[in-house]
Amino acid sequence: IKSAGGSLLTEIEIFDVYTGSNVADDKKSIAYSLTFADNKKTLTDDEVNNLMNKVMDNVCKKFGAEIRK
């Protein structure tokens, strides 16, 4: 996650891990919070959305994750 988010990804926090109903026995649901910041300027929505897409693509490819939306 950190490598995909780059230097603008300043904090990663897992706040929930769930196994149980509606999740396959060999899977778990992991919820995390990401904080992006740039000390020189305010990030735009497009910049953050592009970074989030990179992170999500990386997690899907590296771990075979499925993103719930």
PDB file of all heavy atoms in Angstrom, residues 2 13-14 18-19 26-27 29 34 40 52 57 61 68:
ATOM      1  N   LYS A   2       1.894   1.260   0.854  1.00  0.00           N
ATOM      2  CA  LYS A   2       2.766   2.427   0.960  1.00  0.00           C
ATOM      3  C   LYS A   2       3.466   2.716  -0.361  1.00  0.00           C
ATOM      4  O   LYS A   2       3.537   3.871  -0.791  1.00  0.00           O
ATOM      5  CB  LYS A   2       3.788   2.219   2.088  1.00  0.00           C
ATOM      6  CG  LYS A   2       4.751   3.359   2.269  1.00  0.00           C
ATOM      7  CD  LYS A   2       4.047   4.634   2.675  1.00  0.00           C
ATOM      8  CE  LYS A   2       5.056   5.755   2.899  1.00  0.00           C
ATOM      9  NZ  LYS A   2       4.446   7.074   2.850  1.00  0.00           N
ATOM     10  N   GLU A  13      -3.939   3.089   8.451  1.00  0.00           N
ATOM     11  CA  GLU A  13      -4.484   2.525   9.693  1.00  0.00           C
ATOM     12  C   GLU A  13      -5.552   1.486   9.367  1.00  0.00           C
ATOM     13  O   GLU A  13      -6.540   1.802   8.704  1.00  0.00           O
ATOM     14  CB  GLU A  13      -5.096   3.624  10.551  1.00  0.00           C
ATOM     15  CG  GLU A  13      -5.683   3.096  11.839  1.00  0.00           C
ATOM     16  CD  GLU A  13      -6.352   4.192  12.667  1.00  0.00           C
ATOM     17  OE1 GLU A  13      -6.320   5.360  12.281  1.00  0.00           O
ATOM     18  OE2 GLU A  13      -6.929   3.840  13.707  1.00  0.00           O
ATOM     19  N   ILE A  14      -5.330   0.262   9.815  1.00  0.00           N
ATOM     20  CA  ILE A  14      -6.366  -0.775   9.708  1.00  0.00           C
ATOM     21  C   ILE A  14      -7.293  -0.578  10.898  1.00  0.00           C
ATOM     22  O   ILE A  14      -6.855  -0.556  12.047  1.00  0.00           O
ATOM     23  CB  ILE A  14      -5.755  -2.179   9.729  1.00  0.00           C
ATOM     24  CG1 ILE A  14      -4.913  -2.395   8.476  1.00  0.00           C
ATOM     25  CG2 ILE A  14      -6.848  -3.244   9.839  1.00  0.00           C
ATOM     26  CD1 ILE A  14      -4.147  -3.690   8.440  1.00  0.00           C
ATOM     27  N   TYR A  18     -12.809  -8.338   9.546  1.00  0.00           N
ATOM     28  CA  TYR A  18     -14.032  -9.095   9.766  1.00  0.00           C
ATOM     29  C   TYR A  18     -13.963 -10.432   9.047  1.00  0.00           C
ATOM     30  O   TYR A  18     -13.554 -10.513   7.891  1.00  0.00           O
ATOM     31  CB  TYR A  18     -15.240  -8.301   9.242  1.00  0.00           C
ATOM     32  CG  TYR A  18     -16.534  -9.074   9.318  1.00  0.00           C
ATOM     33  CD1 TYR A  18     -17.199  -9.226  10.524  1.00  0.00           C
ATOM     34  CD2 TYR A  18     -17.072  -9.667   8.183  1.00  0.00           C
ATOM     35  CE1 TYR A  18     -18.385  -9.943  10.603  1.00  0.00           C
ATOM     36  CE2 TYR A  18     -18.255 -10.386   8.245  1.00  0.00           C
ATOM     37  CZ  TYR A  18     -18.907 -10.525   9.454  1.00  0.00           C
ATOM     38  OH  TYR A  18     -20.066 -11.243   9.525  1.00  0.00           O
ATOM     39  N   THR A  19     -14.347 -11.475   9.748  1.00  0.00           N
ATOM     40  CA  THR A  19     -14.597 -12.792   9.161  1.00  0.00           C
ATOM     41  C   THR A  19     -15.953 -13.225   9.689  1.00  0.00           C
ATOM     42  O   THR A  19     -16.310 -12.930  10.824  1.00  0.00           O
ATOM     43  CB  THR A  19     -13.520 -13.821   9.559  1.00  0.00           C
ATOM     44  OG1 THR A  19     -13.451 -13.899  10.979  1.00  0.00           O
ATOM     45  CG2 THR A  19     -12.152 -13.453   9.010  1.00  0.00           C
ATOM     46  N   ASP A  26     -12.346 -18.712   3.450  1.00  0.00           N
ATOM     47  CA  ASP A  26     -10.909 -18.515   3.229  1.00  0.00           C
ATOM     48  C   ASP A  26     -10.553 -17.042   3.000  1.00  0.00           C
ATOM     49  O   ASP A  26      -9.458 -16.718   2.577  1.00  0.00           O
ATOM     50  CB  ASP A  26     -10.421 -19.353   2.057  1.00  0.00           C
ATOM     51  CG  ASP A  26     -11.108 -18.986   0.753  1.00  0.00           C
ATOM     52  OD1 ASP A  26     -12.218 -18.421   0.789  1.00  0.00           O
ATOM     53  OD2 ASP A  26     -10.530 -19.257  -0.315  1.00  0.00           O
ATOM     54  N   LYS A  27     -11.491 -16.149   3.309  1.00  0.00           N
ATOM     55  CA  LYS A  27     -11.258 -14.714   3.097  1.00  0.00           C
ATOM     56  C   LYS A  27     -11.585 -13.927   4.354  1.00  0.00           C
ATOM     57  O   LYS A  27     -12.195 -14.431   5.289  1.00  0.00           O
ATOM     58  CB  LYS A  27     -12.140 -14.211   1.954  1.00  0.00           C
ATOM     59  CG  LYS A  27     -11.964 -14.983   0.668  1.00  0.00           C
ATOM     60  CD  LYS A  27     -11.888 -14.068  -0.483  1.00  0.00           C
ATOM     61  CE  LYS A  27     -11.762 -14.911  -1.742  1.00  0.00           C
ATOM     62  NZ  LYS A  27     -10.628 -14.558  -2.503  1.00  0.00           N
ATOM     63  N   SER A  29     -12.477  -9.576   5.501  1.00  0.00           N
ATOM     64  CA  SER A  29     -12.721  -8.207   5.084  1.00  0.00           C
ATOM     65  C   SER A  29     -11.855  -7.295   5.942  1.00  0.00           C
ATOM     66  O   SER A  29     -11.922  -7.336   7.164  1.00  0.00           O
ATOM     67  CB  SER A  29     -14.198  -7.857   5.268  1.00  0.00           C
ATOM     68  OG  SER A  29     -14.417  -6.502   4.968  1.00  0.00           O
ATOM     69  N   LEU A  34      -6.599   5.710   4.882  1.00  0.00           N
ATOM     70  CA  LEU A  34      -5.360   6.241   4.320  1.00  0.00           C
ATOM     71  C   LEU A  34      -5.387   7.756   4.438  1.00  0.00           C
ATOM     72  O   LEU A  34      -6.410   8.391   4.171  1.00  0.00           O
ATOM     73  CB  LEU A  34      -5.218   5.854   2.848  1.00  0.00           C
ATOM     74  CG  LEU A  34      -5.282   4.369   2.517  1.00  0.00           C
ATOM     75  CD1 LEU A  34      -5.171   4.156   1.017  1.00  0.00           C
ATOM     76  CD2 LEU A  34      -4.196   3.606   3.239  1.00  0.00           C
ATOM     77  N   LYS A  40       3.593  21.134   0.776  1.00  0.00           N
ATOM     78  CA  LYS A  40       3.767  22.320  -0.057  1.00  0.00           C
ATOM     79  C   LYS A  40       2.466  22.871  -0.633  1.00  0.00           C
ATOM     80  O   LYS A  40       2.410  24.014  -1.051  1.00  0.00           O
ATOM     81  CB  LYS A  40       4.732  22.013  -1.193  1.00  0.00           C
ATOM     82  CG  LYS A  40       6.113  21.650  -0.703  1.00  0.00           C
ATOM     83  CD  LYS A  40       7.032  21.292  -1.839  1.00  0.00           C
ATOM     84  CE  LYS A  40       8.372  20.851  -1.271  1.00  0.00           C
ATOM     85  NZ  LYS A  40       9.216  20.265  -2.274  1.00  0.00           N
ATOM     86  N   MET A  52      -5.609   6.888  -4.744  1.00  0.00           N
ATOM     87  CA  MET A  52      -6.449   5.808  -4.219  1.00  0.00           C
ATOM     88  C   MET A  52      -6.613   4.695  -5.250  1.00  0.00           C
ATOM     89  O   MET A  52      -6.546   3.510  -4.906  1.00  0.00           O
ATOM     90  CB  MET A  52      -7.829   6.350  -3.805  1.00  0.00           C
ATOM     91  CG  MET A  52      -7.828   7.108  -2.511  1.00  0.00           C
ATOM     92  SD  MET A  52      -7.393   6.082  -1.090  1.00  0.00           S
ATOM     93  CE  MET A  52      -8.699   4.875  -1.124  1.00  0.00           C
ATOM     94  N   ASP A  57      -5.643  -0.756  -7.094  1.00  0.00           N
ATOM     95  CA  ASP A  57      -5.154  -1.644  -8.153  1.00  0.00           C
ATOM     96  C   ASP A  57      -4.010  -2.511  -7.653  1.00  0.00           C
ATOM     97  O   ASP A  57      -3.952  -3.707  -7.924  1.00  0.00           O
ATOM     98  CB  ASP A  57      -4.697  -0.830  -9.371  1.00  0.00           C
ATOM     99  CG  ASP A  57      -5.847  -0.214 -10.138  1.00  0.00           C
ATOM    100  OD1 ASP A  57      -7.014  -0.631  -9.932  1.00  0.00           O
ATOM    101  OD2 ASP A  57      -5.579   0.702 -10.956  1.00  0.00           O
ATOM    102  N   LYS A  61      -4.014  -6.621  -7.358  1.00  0.00           N
ATOM    103  CA  LYS A  61      -3.040  -7.424  -8.104  1.00  0.00           C
ATOM    104  C   LYS A  61      -2.137  -8.226  -7.180  1.00  0.00           C
ATOM    105  O   LYS A  61      -1.886  -9.401  -7.402  1.00  0.00           O
ATOM    106  CB  LYS A  61      -2.188  -6.528  -9.000  1.00  0.00           C
ATOM    107  CG  LYS A  61      -2.948  -5.978 -10.180  1.00  0.00           C
ATOM    108  CD  LYS A  61      -2.096  -5.027 -10.993  1.00  0.00           C
ATOM    109  CE  LYS A  61      -2.947  -4.381 -12.077  1.00  0.00           C
ATOM    110  NZ  LYS A  61      -2.243  -3.276 -12.722  1.00  0.00           N
ATOM    111  N   ARG A  68     -14.906  -3.883  -2.242  1.00  0.00           N
ATOM    112  CA  ARG A  68     -16.367  -3.673  -2.123  1.00  0.00           C
ATOM    113  C   ARG A  68     -16.622  -2.191  -2.291  1.00  0.00           C
ATOM    114  O   ARG A  68     -15.913  -1.357  -1.729  1.00  0.00           O
ATOM    115  CB  ARG A  68     -16.867  -4.112  -0.751  1.00  0.00           C
ATOM    116  CG  ARG A  68     -16.814  -5.580  -0.539  1.00  0.00           C
ATOM    117  CD  ARG A  68     -17.468  -5.984   0.750  1.00  0.00           C
ATOM    118  NE  ARG A  68     -17.054  -5.103   1.861  1.00  0.00           N
ATOM    119  CZ  ARG A  68     -17.612  -5.100   3.044  1.00  0.00           C
ATOM    120  NH1 ARG A  68     -18.587  -5.910   3.313  1.00  0.00           N
ATOM    121  NH2 ARG A  68     -17.185  -4.298   3.986  1.00  0.00           N
TER     122      ARG A  68
END
